[in-house]
Amino acid sequence: MACKGAEKINEKIEPQMVESLEGLWGIFAEYIKIQWEQFVYFFEEKLIEPLKEEGWKVVRTKERQCGLVDGNQTRKIHLRYRVLQKGGKSISPLLECLNIEKRRRYTAQARLHGCIEAILCATYSQAAHLTGVSRMSLWNWMQELAQALPVNSVK
């Protein structure tokens, strides 16, 4: 089943218009972005269905960027999610299901990956270059991990 927006991409795929592999990759990336948004929408719809039957109402749709680990690289993705409300309580089923913490720009796995790279590299700048995450974010994550360690384990 072709997703909405795929027709626009198909119109762009004219061999005489693509002059390089990078150009074709750009068209492919647009197509994947459209499919990703459709996939997330349908996934979230499955999460929300039973909640709507229990009386939860969709009150707004929000958007955010989130960093995740893809192979050895940290990739930022775009998420659009819905907030539901019932009796004064608000929930975001998609974020809860995917364990995406409020006000965090990266998943726990991406933060851990960044910290490991920082440990393996001589500097935070090198780790930032390898992961695509800012060196200050890496430094902050290392501080959080260090504080989370039991006192007896640090000598």
Side-chain angles (χ1 to χ4, degrees):
M1 174 176 96
C3 61
K4 293 178 185 174
E7 296 80 25
K8 293 178 191 174
I9 299 298
N10 287 337
E11 291 171 8
K12 289 184 181 181
I13 303 176
E14 293 292 331
Q16 62 273 20
M17 306 257 322
V18 178
E19 297 177 2
S20 66
L21 182 57
E22 289 80 7
L24 188 58
W25 184 260
I27 293 170
F28 176 71
E30 279 184 58
Y31 183 74
I32 293 300
K33 180 182 173 203
I34 291 168
Q35 284 197 325
W36 166 254
E37 290 171 0
Q38 286 287 307
F39 177 77
V40 171
Y41 177 82
F42 289 122
F43 180 79
E44 184 183 38
E45 201 54 42
K46 293 280 187 190
L47 291 172
I48 290 176
E49 269 178 31
L51 295 171
K52 283 182 176 177
E53 292 171 6
E54 294 175 12
W56 290 87
K57 303 274 185 229
V58 175
V59 290
R60 67 185 164 276
T61 300
K62 295 177 111 183
E63 296 184 28
R64 69 182 283 182
Q65 294 276 340
C66 189
L68 59 90
V69 176
D70 181 17
N72 282 337
Q73 190 66 22
T74 303
R75 181 179 309 278
K76 288 195 178 178
I77 59 163
H78 180 263
L79 276 180
R80 181 175 290 131
Y81 64 96
R82 289 173 273 184
V83 177
L84 280 70
Q85 201 169 45
K86 176 182 170 185
K89 183 179 180 193
S90 295
I91 59 171
S92 302
L94 181 65
L95 299 184
E96 290 173 14
C97 176
L98 300 177
N99 294 318
I100 298 174
E101 302 168 46
K102 290 182 179 181
R103 296 177 196 83
R104 288 283 191 173
R105 294 180 186 263
Y106 295 91
T107 63
Q109 292 87 349
R111 293 193 310 271
L112 179 61
H113 174 73
C115 290
I116 291 169
E117 287 296 331
I119 291 168
L120 296 175
C121 294
T123 67
Y124 287 105
S125 293
Q126 289 173 340
H129 178 72
L130 288 173
T131 60
V133 176
S134 78
R135 61 178 190 234
M136 277 310 295
S137 290
L138 293 171
W139 185 85
N140 287 328
W141 298 342
M142 288 296 285
Q143 301 310 306
E144 288 175 16
L145 279 177
Q147 288 177 359
L149 289 174
V151 177
N152 297 346
S153 67
V154 179
K155 294 186 181 190

